[in-house]
Amino acid sequence: MDPYGDQNRKILSPLDKAQMVEQAVEAEIEVVESTNTVLEAQEEQTEQEQELETNPTLVEHLTDLRKQLVKGAAAFLLFFIVVFSTINFWFPYITRGHELVILGPLEVVKFYMSISMALALGFSLPFLCHFLWQFVKPGLNERESKFLSLYSPVMLLLFLIGVAFGYFVVNPLSYHFLISLGAVNFNVMVSAQEYIRFLLMTTMPIGILFELPIVTLFLATIGLLTAESMRKVRKWSYLAIAIISALITPPDFVSQLIVLIPMALLYEASIYIVLYAERRNAVTE
């Protein structure tokens, strides 16, 4: 028996010692790498949390959109109730003294509903534009925000001018032309539902088409359109305007021509508006 207790001591060779050192170093490296991995994961998580704090999430955008849609729907519903409850006041302005017939007990309800919805949409349009502006404003850059804030009233004014042009010019001319054309060989009776459909066809789409100058000016502001490019594609633009006019107006040459002429004039006016905006930007820069 060894009095020093060395009988259980393991004798290591220099090679074994070197392997132990290497294992210890590898273990330390693994610990350091795992620590770095944890730190990197924590940093990434912190960065993601900061991004979530600084940038609105999709849920927040959808929540904001829902709020604006609810406000717009409430404004539309309010005007709809007001118009529907005073339908006898608006009725003479809609029918203009034309003799209309109803073909069933439910058609009068459809007629009143169509009138109320169309007028409610027109009256609530400024509010709908304002609510939409409140939603898109945070996502716009300075140039786009400035453009929309300046020209939103002009957009509404052009839409109303287009609707008025359809109501006072396109609708009566095309209506009398078609009625007189049918009266040659037929006994003409116009149902209330067909009349309101014809009235909406000759007013609302024209109001949208009258937004052409503002649309072209916006595209020029963000650099997607120039006056020179509009001149180069003038013929094709006239063709597109003619096709659109044919699609949104009644199927008679008179109505299409009445809409085509002001749209061509608006296109030419849009070229000069874009040219003026380009010169103003050049002077500013």
Side-chain angles (χ1 to χ4, degrees):
M1 185 174 180
D2 187 357
Y4 298 101
D6 292 338
Q7 72 278 5
N8 295 324
R9 181 182 299 177
K10 186 177 180 180
I11 300 175
L12 299 176
S13 66
L15 183 59
D16 293 333
K17 292 181 179 180
Q19 291 178 351
M20 292 181 63
V21 172
E22 289 179 358
Q23 292 176 357
V25 172
E26 291 177 356
E28 292 179 358
I29 293 175
E30 290 178 357
V31 171
V32 172
E33 289 179 352
S34 61
T35 304
N36 292 335
T37 303
V38 173
L39 293 175
E40 290 176 357
Q42 292 178 351
E43 290 178 357
E44 291 179 358
Q45 184 177 2
T46 304
E47 291 177 356
Q48 292 177 356
E49 291 176 354
Q50 291 177 352
E51 290 179 357
L52 292 175
E53 292 177 356
T54 56
N55 298 327
T57 62
L58 178 61
V59 176
E60 292 175 350
H61 281 300
L62 294 177
T63 302
D64 189 20
L65 177 61
R66 182 180 61 83
K67 291 180 181 178
Q68 303 303 331
L69 291 177
V70 169
K71 292 179 182 178
F76 174 81
L77 182 61
L78 176 62
F79 283 108
F80 177 81
I81 294 174
V82 171
V83 173
F84 190 81
S85 60
T86 58
I87 193 66
N88 292 328
F89 173 79
W90 306 102
F91 188 82
Y93 298 99
I94 299 298
T95 59
R96 291 176 168 179
H98 299 306
E99 294 183 359
L100 306 177
V101 298
I102 57 173
L103 304 179
L106 295 179
E107 187 166 347
V108 63
V109 179
K110 294 179 181 179
F111 181 75
Y112 289 160
M113 292 287 288
S114 300
I115 295 176
S116 302
M117 291 181 66
L119 292 177
L121 179 61
F123 291 142
S124 62
L125 187 62
F127 300 92
L128 297 176
C129 293
H130 174 72
F131 297 144
L132 181 63
W133 166 250
Q134 293 297 322
F135 173 71
V136 303
K137 184 178 179 180
L140 300 177
N141 57 40
E142 184 178 356
R143 175 179 293 183
E144 296 170 346
S145 178
K146 184 178 179 181
F147 177 88
L148 289 180
S149 62
L150 289 176
Y151 292 101
S152 292
V154 181
M155 294 174 62
L156 178 61
L157 180 61
L158 287 175
F159 177 78
L160 295 178
I161 292 175
V163 172
F165 178 78
Y167 179 80
F168 291 106
V169 179
V170 178
N171 178 263
L173 290 178
S174 59
Y175 182 83
H176 289 298
F177 173 77
L178 293 174
I179 293 297
S180 61
L181 184 65
V184 176
N185 297 311
F186 302 96
N187 293 324
V188 179
M189 290 191 304
V190 181
S191 67
Q193 191 64 24
E194 289 297 325
Y195 176 81
I196 192 63
R197 186 179 304 167
F198 182 82
L199 179 62
L200 294 176
M201 181 190 300
T202 54
T203 52
M204 301 298 287
I206 298 176
I208 297 175
L209 286 180
F210 268 60
E211 302 288 340
L212 178 62
I214 298 299
V215 174
T216 55
L217 185 58
F218 177 74
L219 295 177
T221 302
I222 62 178
L224 296 180
L225 194 65
T226 62
E228 184 64 25
S229 63
M230 293 183 67
R231 289 194 183 101
K232 290 181 180 179
V233 298
R234 179 184 278 118
K235 295 180 180 180
W236 295 105
S237 299
Y238 283 169
L239 178 61
I241 291 174
I243 294 174
I244 295 174
S245 300
L247 291 175
I248 68 171
T249 54
D252 64 280
F253 178 74
V254 176
S255 302
Q256 296 172 7
L257 186 62
I258 293 173
V259 175
L260 179 61
I261 292 175
M263 290 308 303
L265 295 177
L266 284 174
Y267 184 83
E268 295 297 329
S270 300
I271 294 177
Y272 287 100
I273 292 173
V274 172
L275 182 61
Y276 172 76
E278 291 175 351
R279 291 176 179 175
R280 188 182 59 182
N281 293 333
V283 172
T284 304
E285 293 176 357

